Amino acid sequence: MSDELKEIATELRRHLAWQESDGSRSILGERTAKTAAAAPVAKAPAPVAKAAAPVQQAKPAAPAIVKPPEAPIARRPLDEIRRELGDCQRCKLCNGRSTIVFGSGNPRAELVFVGEGPGEEEDRQGVPFVGKAGQLLTKMIEAMKFTRDDVYICNVVKCRPPNNRNPEPDEIEACEPFLKAQLASLQPKVIVALGKFATQTLLRDQTSITRLRGQWREYQGIPLMPTFHPAYLLRQPEEKRLAWLDLQEVMKRFGKKGQQ
Ligand code: URA
C-alpha cells in the first residue's frame, strides 16, 4: 500500500473507532438502536402534483464525517514531559536513533514551529533543525524578526527515521501524545506547522499541504498556520515566495510587518 493509502486507512480507522465508541456508525451508514431512536424519522417525499413531471428522487445525504472532539490536555512543565518520554522505546524508530530530539527554545515562547522529525545532524546533536533545512528555518525565523531563542521548535516524531524516510503512521501515533503535551505546556499564541506531517497530524486533516498552506486554522483553540517545510523549500526555492506570504500572516498576529 502507498504511504497515502496507509494514511487514509489510519484516519478512517480513527473515525470508525471514535464513532463506534459514541454508539453511532454513520460513516458506514449503520446506526445503533440508540442513535436510530434519537434521530427523527425521515418523512416520505410529498406526492408529486403533476403526473407528467418527472419524479425527483431525493439523493441520500452523504454520511457526515464528524471529527473526534479533541479532549483538552493537561498543562505540565516541559521537563516533566521530557522525563515521561524517557529513553523511549514506544516505536521502532528507537532502534536507529542516536539521540532523542525533544525540542528546543523558549519554554515561554509565543510562537512554536512544528516540523516532521530529526534528520542526521539533529540526531547527532539532539537539537531540532540544525542541519541544512534548519539553517533555512533559522533564516525564516530571523526574517520574521524573531530569534531561535524567542521561539520553540519541535517535531512530530522525536527520533530520526532511517535514511530520513517519512515517519510512518504507527510512529506518529506513538509520538503524538508528546507533541500534544508540549503544545499544551507552551500554550503559544501561534503555531506554525512546517509541511505535510506536522499540519496533517495536528489538524487531523489529510488535505494536501499545497491546499492547506496559507490558511489560518486552529489547533486546540490556538491559531495554526500551515506552510511548506524548509527541506521542501530547499528543493523548490521558487515556493519560498508563498512560504514568506504565510510567515507574513503570522507576523501580523504579532504586530510585526515584514518586507513585501
Ligand atoms: N526536518 C524536520 O522536520 N525536523 C528537524 O528537526 C530537522 C529537519
Side-chain angles (χ1 to χ4, degrees):
M1 227 192 298
S2 72
D3 283 354
E4 204 161 80
L5 273 177
K6 275 190 200 153
E7 275 170 30
I8 293 168
T10 306
E11 193 59 21
L12 196 56
R13 266 201 299 280
R14 278 198 194 128
H15 281 307
L16 284 170
W18 174 68
Q19 294 209 341
E20 279 169 355
S21 73
D22 184 40
S24 66
R25 290 184 63 184
S26 61
I27 204 164
L28 295 180
E30 293 172 20
R31 292 184 304 164
T32 60
K34 184 176 132 200
T35 48
V41 178
K43 291 222 178 86
V48 180
K50 286 185 196 156
V55 178
Q56 294 282 319
Q57 286 288 339
K59 277 195 190 152
I65 297 181
V66 185
K67 293 212 169 152
E70 291 263 11
I73 300 157
R75 191 169 190 181
R76 297 184 295 144
L78 286 171
D79 53 1
E80 187 184 313
I81 300 162
R82 177 65 189 88
R83 271 198 303 279
E84 189 189 322
L85 182 62
D87 180 32
C88 186
Q89 314 277 322
R90 290 170 182 81
C91 84
K92 58 189 178 300
L93 291 182
C94 67
N95 299 321
R97 69 152 188 254
S98 306
T99 326
I100 292 178
V101 182
F102 181 68
S104 76
N106 187 344
R108 294 178 195 277
E110 292 195 318
L111 177 57
V112 172
F113 291 84
V114 180
E116 180 180 315
E120 191 178 4
E121 200 49 42
E122 291 77 16
D123 179 64
R124 212 189 327 266
Q125 296 188 33
V127 181
F129 283 99
V130 287
K132 284 211 170 73
Q135 285 161 21
L136 178 56
L137 178 63
T138 304
K139 283 188 193 156
M140 289 157 68
I141 292 169
E142 287 169 357
M144 294 172 76
K145 301 181 182 158
F146 287 93
T147 67
R148 276 184 72 120
D149 291 338
D150 295 328
V151 305
Y152 190 85
I153 306 174
C154 57
N155 284 305
V156 172
V157 295
K158 314 295 186 215
C159 298
R160 182 190 181 203
N163 302 315
N164 297 343
R165 67 153 167 75
N166 290 336
E168 294 177 351
D170 58 316
E171 297 156 0
I172 294 176
E173 208 170 305
C175 226
E176 196 181 342
F178 294 94
L179 171 62
K180 293 190 163 185
Q182 283 173 299
L183 295 173
S185 172
L186 292 156
Q187 294 279 328
K189 198 164 152 182
V190 172
I191 298 168
V192 175
L194 299 166
K196 161 181 160 160
F197 288 94
T199 304
Q200 293 184 344
T201 301
L202 290 173
L203 297 181
R204 294 182 169 243
D205 184 334
Q206 298 301 302
T207 308
S208 74
I209 185 64
T210 319
R211 280 171 183 247
L212 289 171
R213 64 140 286 276
Q215 310 286 333
W216 280 110
R217 297 286 296 265
E218 266 192 13
Y219 165 78
Q220 295 260 331
I222 303 167
L224 181 149
M225 174 58 75
T227 194
F228 291 133
H229 191 285
Y232 171 75
L233 295 175
L234 288 174
R235 295 192 302 272
Q236 307 285 336
E238 67 281 3
E239 301 280 44
K240 283 185 187 170
R241 189 184 57 83
L242 290 176
W244 180 231
L245 290 178
D246 307 343
L247 299 181
Q248 282 177 301
E249 284 304 310
V250 174
M251 291 174 71
K252 278 188 212 154
R253 293 274 167 135
F254 289 94
K256 295 177 188 252
K257 210 168 159 344
Q259 276 163 359
Q260 301 302 310

